[in-house]
Amino acid sequence: MTLQEQHISFDPDALRSKYRLERDKRLKVEGNDQYIEVKGDFSYFVEDPYIEEKITREPNTNTYHTVIIGGGFGGVLSGARLREQGLNDFRIIEKGGDFGGTWYWNRYPGASCDIESYIYFPLLEETNFVPKRKYTDAAETLDYFKILSDKFSLRNNALFQTEVNEVKWLANEKLWLIKTNRQDSIKARYVIHANGFLNRPKLPAMKGINDYQGHTFHTSRWDYDYTGGDSYGNLDNLKDKKVAIIGTGATAVQCVPHLAASAQKLYVFQRTPSSIDERNNTETNIEWFKSQKSGWQDERRENFEGFLTGNFTNKDLVNDGWTEIFRTILGGLMKNGPSKLVLLGWVLSAPLNRNFYEDGLRTFIRNKFMKYVSREDINRKVEIVDFQKMEKVRARADALVNDPNTAESLKPYYRQLCKRPCFHDEYLQAFNNDNVELIDTDGQGVKEISAEGIIHNGQEFKVDCIIFASGFEVGTDYSRRCGYQVSGIGGITLSEKWKDGLATFHGIHSKGFPNSFFYGPGQGPMTANFTHSLDEQSAHVAYILKQLDSKNLKYVEASDEAEKGWIDTIVSKARNMQSFQESCTPGYYNNEGKPNTNPANNTYGGGALEYFKLLKDWRKNNKLLGLKTH
Ligand code: NDP
């Protein structure tokens, strides 16, 4: 034990070995292959339960200037930015029955967002919309999509209930051909792939999964016809039903309290407990909101991002759990003692680069304090802060859950940034309800399903309904997640091009795939505030398209040199977090215990703000540098 460790109320060595033990019992050789792809027999898990009326229409065989694939925030922002540039000949193709993306699909009871609504909702100054609370919910977010799409007249440009299944470059015509499940053969000069992230539900591969005769669905396709109620709860149809939920990630944490309140009996099958901290939502102070000066949202978003990437000022505008991490760490280090280094964590929706915040934090500390402390000392301090934070989280389970065994089972034993921390003020208390039972599988997960329920440890739990809160594909092939293959010049597919590692320019263009723009595969920005990066990238793409049109150019492709240069940038800025990732309990943050070893498959290591500035400077230069055009 170091001198510093002698002043703390826990034994770091004991915690280190406990964490190791909990990780080891969860490591699986199968990695991502422990999950089933939702297709074939399982494709009903991705059917759309929210469509009110099935659209019928003739196949579309038109040619457009631009096709945008995806009607979530990425697609809607792209449409808005194209309109702003006067580029009106576009179509947005969306699988769902309306705009909304993630929020269209994830409208399970309790669904809400942990990023402050004042920075999460894009274009608030343009729409004059005032979010009701600091943290918004699914219903308000879907309402906001209506406001955005009305503001930019996007509805008539949308093809809803339409699933793209092939995108192919037509070399002779220099156009893209987009085929859909509605027999559309649409052509477009440009295609924007705004497919989103965490969009493809996954199921655990369990023995007997096909045998279950009861009702079942995935949380991202909530069956309100079966449960009753809406995203605010009141699931009245469950009052005489026995329900099982599999999974205890961020989604389950939000819907379990509602299931607990309504079901006759609820079994929560847990493999790994989430870290559950306080949420503390507040009503919007309308006077304060309305008094904000022009440009406030950009300033606020940048201020927030600055805190997360170690570029912050003294003014903390968002002032929440995210930014507090950095303020507190700084305060603690200034005093050169670990006692003040609390609250490490609060890293909520950090789905892409799960190392980013921890890494940003280390970088910040290194930059500012390297003179005074060694790298080893910093790592140790950060670890102690993490232990302290997680001890508090574990103590919260003891404080809120009546049964000591259940409380113990609900305690997370891993570093905070190994998994996505959760924030909820009713989840832990739900286990005090007489009708709720936690079935802790001690890291093993559910392995078997019978015709009537779930079998665990030789016991059968008979249930009327099994709800899968088992998450979404991460780390699988990009085209598989999109649901369609893209074939570029010479017929080469994206899967073939990226099989040994991503290759893009700015994370947006890829050589061999001209006139295409990608928002999601990687080598782009990482921010917890996803809509911020979608906003920046969509403005960037709209700028490029406007430039091409005004110069009467019809072709744009990343040059070989530019793409190689960008890969070098990504690799040189990638930070090696392998050992941290390996020490983590498995999950989608560390590729199910098999961390990425290819430095090209990273996000931009300089941080989102640096990336946004890089794009801005590139636009200012006004030469479309790195792009071949004609
Ligand atoms: P996750 O992938 O986070 O969770 C899946 C859950 O299923 C985990 O608890 C996992 O356990 C469990 N699981 C998998 N296989 C089995 C099995 N065989 N038996 C039992 N349990 C099993 O998916 P979510 O939908 O919960 O969340 C996805 C992401 O969406 C979040 O990380 C977040 O980024 C975002 N989100 C954000 C929200 C917000 O802003 N508040 C709310 C909801 C989601 P294990 O941990 O052991 O792998």
Side-chain angles (χ1 to χ4, degrees), residues 19 37 70 90 124-125 132 137 148 167 187 248 258 298 353 414 433 452 469 475 509 534 540 602:
Y19 283 15
E37 192 177 355
F90 63 87
L124 279 180
E125 290 190 67
K132 288 195 203 76
D137 55 43
L148 271 182
V167 178
K187 290 181 185 172
T248 49
H258 296 284
D298 275 348
N353 185 345
Y414 45 79
N433 290 18
E452 293 186 274
H509 316 261
L534 290 170
H540 186 75
N602 267 296

Side-chain angles (χ1 to χ4, degrees), residues 35 108 112-114 198 202 204 206 246-252 254 269-272 348-351 419-420 445-446 469-472 586-588 592:
Y35 296 104
Y108 56 82
S112 60
C113 181
D114 295 333
L198 294 171
K202 68 182 187 208
M206 293 172 297
I246 297 179
T248 49
T251 297
Q254 292 185 335
F269 283 86
Q270 172 181 277
R271 186 163 71 179
T272 309
L348 323 178
S349 5
K419 279 187 179 281
R420 184 198 185 277
V446 174
S470 45
F472 303 86
Y588 83 81
E592 300 298 338

